[in-house]
């Protein structure tokens, strides 16, 4: 015991430091524990808000079909059957006027479909010697649209197989159209017949593989792609891929099928005055801004929201030529 007190006396400073550390640690622990407990209770009573994942409307998770995405269709496989359901005209009067969607508003980042409204007949500048002058503010927008083309032709997606309907035969070839275009064409054909005009569906839906063959023939005939595109769209860029475009002939003058002289036929004159009533418009009038040759036989159906979205960009260019 005596040695213990001697040790404490000789190490007085060390002992004091040890005791001071114990006292300070005890005081700190006495203060911290209630504070920590109170914080934990606060977190329990007020949990952090949950995080909700926000998916942009144009993200791949919510994307819908795009008229500018080219995909291969199972239709290119001869073993894949196509819907052979025939289309019959609806009970709607032949004299009824279709509600045609005006061309979509287009800028460098957005293509927004306008509300569906009744549209006046698109003027067809058959006798125009040159394109109308274009406002300066439209030039940038037009150049942007043309930058999306391949030699003036916009890209188009093949129509879903389930939307195609059998429209009968042209010679030995069965023709198909999108069901919306098919019904409208039959109503238009019936109306024309009552006035002595015979409209013939020459060509409707066309697959990318079929367009490839046609385009190669045009290259061989014309000598280059640059010349071929003036008369035929490159594969993946034909309006016929959509099922909404069709080539029309005059049943009384078949020798003028798919020729510029078709504009002199009774069928063309009737279409120029009446096609808009059934939702059709001429795709490539004279002096069109796409630079495609005048095709009086080539018409497209645009009187539905879906068709208007598909043709938004080329229709905007068309309306610069009004």
């Amino acid at each position: 015991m005596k040695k213990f007190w001697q040790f404490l006396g000789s190490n007085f400073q060390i002992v004091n430091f040890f005791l001071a550390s114990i006292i300070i640690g005890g005081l700190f622990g006495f203060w911290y524990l209630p504070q920590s407990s109170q914080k934990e209770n606060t977190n329990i009573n007020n949990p952090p808000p949950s995080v909700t994942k926000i998916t942009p409307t144009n993200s791949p998770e919510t994307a819908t079909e795009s008229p500018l995405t080219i995909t291969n269709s199972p239709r290119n496989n001869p073993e894949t059957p196509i819907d052979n359901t025939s289309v019959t005209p609806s009970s709607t009067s032949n004299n009824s006027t279709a509600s045609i969607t005006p061309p979509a508003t287009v800028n460098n980042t957005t293509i927004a479909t306008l509300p569906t409204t009744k549209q006046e007949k698109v003027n067809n500048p058959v006798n125009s010697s040159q394109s109308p002058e274009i406002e300066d503010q439209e030039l940038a927008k037009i150049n942007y649209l043309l930058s999306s083309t391949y030699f003036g032709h916009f890209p188009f997606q093949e129509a879903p197989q389930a939307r195609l309907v059998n429209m009968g035969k042209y010679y030995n070839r069965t023709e198909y159209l999108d069901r919306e275009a098919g019904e409208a064409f039959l109503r238009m054909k019936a109306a024309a017949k009552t006035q002595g005009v015979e409209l013939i569906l020459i060509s409707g839906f066309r697959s990318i593989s079929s367009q490839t063959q046609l385009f190669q023939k045009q290259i061989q005939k014309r000598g280059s792609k640059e010349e071929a595109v003036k008369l035929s769209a490159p594969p993946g860029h034909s309006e016929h891929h959509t099922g909404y475009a069709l080539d029309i002939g005059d049943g009384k003058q078949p020798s003028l099928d798919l020729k510029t002289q078709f504009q002199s036929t009774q069928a063309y004159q009737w279409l120029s005055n009446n096609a808009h009533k059934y939702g059709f418009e001429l795709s490539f009038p004279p002096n069109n801004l796409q630079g495609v040759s005048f095709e009086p036989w080539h018409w497209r159906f645009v009187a539905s929201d879906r068709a208007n979205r598909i043709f938004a960009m080329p229709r905007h260019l068309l309306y610069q030529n009004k």
Side-chain angles (χ1 to χ4, degrees):
M1 188 67 180
K2 183 178 179 180
K3 291 181 178 182
F4 174 75
W5 290 110
Q6 289 178 349
F7 172 79
L8 292 178
S10 60
N11 297 280
F12 180 77
Q13 292 181 347
I14 295 175
V15 172
N16 284 343
F17 178 79
F18 178 74
L19 293 175
S21 298
I22 293 176
I23 294 172
I24 292 174
L27 292 175
F28 178 77
F30 179 78
W31 171 84
Y32 177 77
L33 288 177
Q35 296 296 326
S36 177
S37 177
Q38 181 179 0
K39 184 177 181 179
E40 289 177 359
N41 291 335
T42 301
N43 290 338
I44 293 174
N45 294 330
N46 301 284
S50 59
V51 178
T52 302
K53 181 181 180 181
I54 301 176
T55 303
T57 56
N58 59 349
S59 71
E61 297 180 18
T62 59
T64 57
E65 62 174 337
S66 168
L68 305 183
T69 302
I70 306 303
T71 60
N72 290 327
S73 168
R75 195 172 301 98
N76 295 332
N77 183 350
E79 297 180 359
T80 303
I82 299 179
D83 182 10
N84 287 320
T85 303
S86 297
V87 177
T88 56
S90 66
S91 58
T92 305
S93 171
N94 290 334
N95 295 324
S96 62
T97 300
S99 180
I100 300 180
T101 307
T105 299
V106 183
N107 55 35
N108 290 11
T109 57
T110 304
I111 299 177
T113 303
L114 299 178
T116 300
T117 57
K118 182 177 178 180
Q119 174 190 302
E120 298 298 328
K121 181 172 72 72
V122 180
N123 292 327
N124 181 16
V126 176
N127 299 319
S128 298
S129 59
Q130 60 183 6
S131 297
E133 293 184 1
I134 302 172
E135 298 293 336
D136 291 340
Q137 60 267 28
E138 289 293 330
L139 290 178
K141 186 180 296 183
I142 291 170
N143 289 333
Y144 165 74
L145 292 172
L146 291 175
S147 69
S148 302
T149 68
Y150 181 72
F151 291 104
H153 294 273
F154 288 94
F156 293 101
Q157 181 181 17
E158 280 191 8
Q161 178 177 342
R163 293 190 64 89
L164 297 179
V165 291
N166 189 330
M167 296 298 296
K169 289 185 178 292
Y170 177 75
Y171 289 108
N172 60 347
R173 185 180 67 243
T174 302
E175 294 301 328
Y176 298 88
L177 286 175
D178 182 276
R179 56 177 175 265
E180 293 178 329
E183 181 177 340
F185 175 75
L186 290 183
R187 290 197 300 111
M188 182 171 69
K189 181 178 180 178
K193 188 175 181 179
T194 62
Q195 300 178 36
V197 178
E198 187 177 355
L199 301 181
I200 301 297
L201 173 60
I202 297 174
S203 180
F205 167 80
R206 196 178 300 153
S207 68
I208 292 178
S209 61
S210 296
Q211 189 68 26
T212 300
Q213 298 175 11
L214 292 175
F215 190 66
Q216 289 301 321
K217 290 180 180 179
Q218 284 293 343
I219 293 177
Q220 295 173 5
K221 184 178 180 180
R222 301 291 171 178
S224 67
K225 288 183 178 180
E226 291 76 6
E227 291 300 318
V229 294
K230 295 178 181 179
L231 298 174
S232 179
H237 293 72
S238 173
E239 292 188 351
H240 286 281
H241 296 331
T242 68
Y244 284 114
L246 60 161
D247 296 334
I248 301 176
D250 189 324
K252 297 180 180 179
Q253 293 182 274
S255 61
L256 299 183
D257 287 354
L258 305 179
K259 296 180 180 179
T260 306
Q261 291 82 354
F262 174 70
Q263 67 179 302
S264 66
T265 65
Q266 186 182 11
Y268 178 75
Q269 297 303 321
W270 190 93
L271 288 168
S272 298
N273 294 319
N274 297 282
H276 70 283
K277 299 175 183 177
Y278 303 91
F280 292 93
E281 66 183 10
L282 190 65
S283 295
F284 306 114
N287 307 302
N288 61 83
L289 295 178
Q290 289 182 241
V292 180
S293 298
F294 171 43
E295 295 186 357
W297 61 86
H298 184 102
W299 299 74
R300 63 191 174 205
F301 178 80
V302 295
S304 72
D305 289 340
R306 184 174 185 274
N308 186 59
R309 288 194 300 270
I310 289 175
F311 294 121
M313 299 179 82
R315 291 196 73 210
H316 187 81
L317 287 182
L318 174 65
Y319 272 66
Q320 303 307 312
N321 273 11
K322 288 187 62 177

